[in-house]
């Protein structure tokens, strides 16, 4: 089953949005298979956002993501990578639709509440950066028979 890496960023944690965000993905029908509240070390932040190394906002991005605790999660489900991106909304909250997480809660691109892997390759890479294999669980829920 497909897995993705999602993370409530420091602004989402500070604004008490962990519960709402977890609830949205649970209610959609996805299954949580790993989670932890953590403070991201500088080196991990630089690796995680490595694709943006040359961008002018890289320094700010790393400073922001290391500025306070984040809630890191792995979610599982059919098409979870692309569907989670739709549920998050566009990167810039100016363009994210109402009903999406960023559309409902964010105003500026630098504080856009949630991160989500953008492809199967980045999902695998990011899950590996943030979680050890033994921190993920595999379990069956009867409710999945009503979703799939
Ligand atoms: P994320 O990686 O955080 O899930 O966001 P994303 O895929 O939607 O967007 P991405 O292009 O990967 O950008 C990563 C994060 O960088 C910040 N950003 N700032 N100042 C700017 O112009 C700018 N552009 C992007 C955003 O916080 C974005 O989420
Ligand atoms: Mg991204």
């Amino acid at each position: 089953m497909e897995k993705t890496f999602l993370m409530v960023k420091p602004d989402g944690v500070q604004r008490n949005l962990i519960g709402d965000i977890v609830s949205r993905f649970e209610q959609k029908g996805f299954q949580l298979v790993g989670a932890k509240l953590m403070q991201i070390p500088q080196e991990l932040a630089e690796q995680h956002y490595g694709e943006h190394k040359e961008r002018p906002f890289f320094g700010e991005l790393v400073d922001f993501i290391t500025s306070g605790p984040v809630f890191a999660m792995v979610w599982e489900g059919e098409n979870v990578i692309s569907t989670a991106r739709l549920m998050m909304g566009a990167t810039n909250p100016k363009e994210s639709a109402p009903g999406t997480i960023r559309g409902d809660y964010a105003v500026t691109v630098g504080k856009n509440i949630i991160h989500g892997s953008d492809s199967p390759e980045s999902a695998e890479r990011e899950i590996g950066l943030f979680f050890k294999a033994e921190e993920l669980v595999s379990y069956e829920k009867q409710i999945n028979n009503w979703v799939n």
Side-chain angles (χ1 to χ4, degrees), residues 9 48-49 51-52 61 85 88 91 102 115-118 122 126:
K9 295 182 180 182
H48 172 67
Y49 279 129
E51 66 174 313
H52 300 306
L61 186 57
R85 295 279 297 187
M88 288 161 52
T91 304
R102 289 163 170 171
H115 164 81
S117 306
D118 60 12
S122 58
E126 292 166 3

Side-chain angles (χ1 to χ4, degrees), residues 12-138:
V13 174
Q14 291 295 326
R15 290 177 54 193
N16 299 324
L17 295 173
I18 294 173
D20 176 87
I21 289 168
V22 168
S23 198
R24 287 177 184 235
F25 291 102
E26 277 189 321
Q27 289 177 5
K28 176 70 174 172
F30 294 133
Q31 185 167 324
L32 187 62
V33 296
K36 57 183 163 188
L37 188 69
M38 62 184 284
Q39 178 92 32
I40 304 184
Q42 176 89 9
E43 194 186 328
L44 176 57
E46 287 172 3
Q47 277 180 290
H48 172 67
Y49 279 129
E51 66 174 313
H52 300 306
K53 211 169 42 241
E54 309 304 332
R55 309 279 281 276
F57 57 83
F58 182 69
E60 267 174 53
L61 186 57
V62 169
D63 285 350
F64 172 63
I65 209 71
T66 56
S67 66
V70 300
F71 192 64
M73 303 168 277
V74 179
W75 286 85
E76 188 174 86
E78 202 171 306
N79 298 315
V80 68
I81 299 171
S82 58
T83 303
R85 295 279 297 187
L86 281 177
M87 292 169 66
M88 288 161 52
T91 304
N92 192 331
K94 277 198 292 198
E95 285 140 26
S96 40
T100 64
I101 293 165
R102 289 163 170 171
D104 286 349
Y105 298 132
V107 173
T108 63
V109 70
K111 294 197 175 79
N112 61 3
I113 306 287
I114 184 166
H115 164 81
S117 306
D118 60 12
S119 66
E121 296 70 33
S122 58
E124 195 182 337
R125 190 181 80 86
E126 292 166 3
I127 291 169
L129 279 176
F130 282 84
F131 287 89
K132 300 187 186 109
E134 63 267 26
E135 291 177 314
L136 302 181
V137 295
S138 176

